[in-house]
Amino acid sequence: APAPRIATPAMSAPLSTHADIARDVEGPLFNQCVTHKGVLYLSGQVSSNTAESTTVAAQTKDILDKIDALLTSHNSDKSRILRATIWLSDISTSAEMNAQWDAWLDKSNKPVRATVEGKLVRPDLLVEIQVEAAVHSRAGPINTAAAAAAVGPYVQAVRSESGLLFVSGCIGLEAGASGKMVGDTVEEQTQQVLANMRAVLKAGGCGPQDVVKTLILLDDMADFAKVNKIYEAFFEGGAVPARACFAAKTLPKGALVEIECVANAPN
């Protein structure tokens, strides 16, 4: 059976039991990353190669490279760091650490910082750094040349801060400058409608598998079965979303079918 679109605690074992908190890069005792209300919290980072990185400078560089990678993979970067805490096994090495930090830092966007001396978890670890950073906003309009352009004062889609993607009604227009209607049959137009929808979903970081709700408008309800056959294939055998379907008096540009959707963009 196709996998459900919305997992419940009984169906899966998510890293977080709270919908508003994302936990990632799980370890046996803690996660490396937690995101909540637009802020990314990284666990303390240490050098992964202390056999070769035996100085504070080398370990600091290793750590900052790891932080860069984690920030990038979680939709942030060093210019968005809000706070940093640095632990040194020997506070007299702070100048050595600071030289690496200064070379790496975005000078226009310095975070608040604390630097303290402390005994780290292993004797070969000389420095540990923990940061918190703002993630880039996910909210905003979505537009792509790979789908037919909007035919009125609206955008192809809008993504909310929570990651919901609201896709405007798609009709069977070609993408590109021509913008002409594809075919005279409901089957041809449905194929193009879904091609446009797929392109908008992709631009918004989604795919058919992320769609949770659709609305289909038909020029003629007698075309219901024809549209259904093509629509079902769009989901490639996966679970189908919630849906409503109506016959409309008239559709834009003389279209025979129009489909809009809502998708849940992955983190």
Side-chain angles (χ1 to χ4, degrees), residues 7 128 145 152 174 213:
E128 180 172 349
E174 280 187 347
K213 174 72 167 65

Side-chain angles (χ1 to χ4, degrees), residues 174-242:
E174 280 187 347
S178 73
K180 67 179 182 180
M181 190 67 70
V182 173
D184 299 318
T185 68
V186 74
E187 292 94 340
E188 291 171 305
Q189 291 190 21
T190 302
Q191 292 282 8
Q192 184 60 33
V193 165
L194 294 172
N196 286 330
M197 183 175 291
R198 186 187 295 274
V200 176
L201 287 169
K202 182 178 179 180
C206 297
Q209 72 280 0
D210 301 308
V211 176
V212 295
K213 174 72 167 65
T214 63
L215 171 63
I216 301 178
L217 299 173
L218 297 173
D219 181 66
D220 186 348
M221 191 57 79
D223 291 329
F224 183 77
K226 297 174 184 176
V227 171
N228 264 348
K229 184 176 180 180
I230 298 166
Y231 171 90
E232 185 177 15
F234 177 73
F235 297 102
E236 301 171 349
V240 293

Side-chain angles (χ1 to χ4, degrees), residues 8-265:
T8 67
M11 296 172 180
S12 62
L15 292 184
S16 178
T17 57
H18 303 284
D20 61 332
I21 301 175
R23 307 178 194 273
D24 195 20
V25 194
E26 186 178 19
L29 298 176
F30 53 86
N31 292 296
Q32 291 289 337
C33 309
V34 174
T35 306
H36 177 56
K37 291 187 176 180
V39 177
L40 172 66
Y41 303 85
L42 299 187
S43 65
Q45 300 299 308
V46 296
S47 173
S48 300
N49 188 19
T50 56
E52 294 184 11
S53 298
T54 58
T55 66
V56 167
Q59 291 193 18
T60 301
K61 185 179 185 308
D62 288 348
I63 292 166
L64 296 176
D65 287 345
K66 289 173 69 175
I67 289 173
D68 265 334
L70 286 169
L71 291 173
T72 299
S73 66
H74 289 81
N75 199 29
S76 189
D77 59 70
K78 63 186 175 184
S79 73
R80 301 179 69 81
I81 295 175
L82 306 172
R83 178 167 64 180
T85 304
I86 301 175
W87 292 270
L88 294 167
S89 62
D90 181 353
I91 200 68
S92 69
T93 62
S94 59
E96 191 178 348
M97 175 276 298
N98 275 332
Q100 294 296 318
W101 173 267
D102 186 61
W104 175 80
L105 187 65
D106 184 323
K107 302 296 196 304
S108 299
N109 295 282
K110 297 174 184 176
V112 299
R113 197 189 91 173
T115 305
V116 297
E117 182 179 79
K119 186 175 182 180
L120 302 184
V121 71
R122 297 197 321 261
D124 57 325
L125 298 174
L126 306 177
V127 58
E128 180 172 349
I129 303 177
Q130 182 178 35
V131 303
E132 300 165 19
V135 298
H136 292 283
S137 174
R138 307 179 76 195
I142 302 296
N143 288 291
T144 175
V151 296
Y154 60 91
V155 294
Q156 292 169 323
V158 172
R159 185 169 51 212
S160 72
E161 189 65 57
S162 66
L164 285 177
L165 184 69
F166 298 86
V167 179
S168 297
C170 297
I171 57 178
L173 298 177
E174 280 187 347
S178 73
K180 67 179 182 180
M181 190 67 70
V182 173
D184 299 318
T185 68
V186 74
E187 292 94 340
E188 291 171 305
Q189 291 190 21
T190 302
Q191 292 282 8
Q192 184 60 33
V193 165
L194 294 172
N196 286 330
M197 183 175 291
R198 186 187 295 274
V200 176
L201 287 169
K202 182 178 179 180
C206 297
Q209 72 280 0
D210 301 308
V211 176
V212 295
K213 174 72 167 65
T214 63
L215 171 63
I216 301 178
L217 299 173
L218 297 173
D219 181 66
D220 186 348
M221 191 57 79
D223 291 329
F224 183 77
K226 297 174 184 176
V227 171
N228 264 348
K229 184 176 180 180
I230 298 166
Y231 171 90
E232 185 177 15
F234 177 73
F235 297 102
E236 301 171 349
V240 293
R243 192 183 88 174
C245 182
F246 301 95
K249 183 178 179 181
T250 307
L251 294 176
K253 302 287 185 180
L256 302 178
V257 57
E258 180 173 358
I259 304 177
E260 66 176 55
C261 75
V262 179
N264 191 22

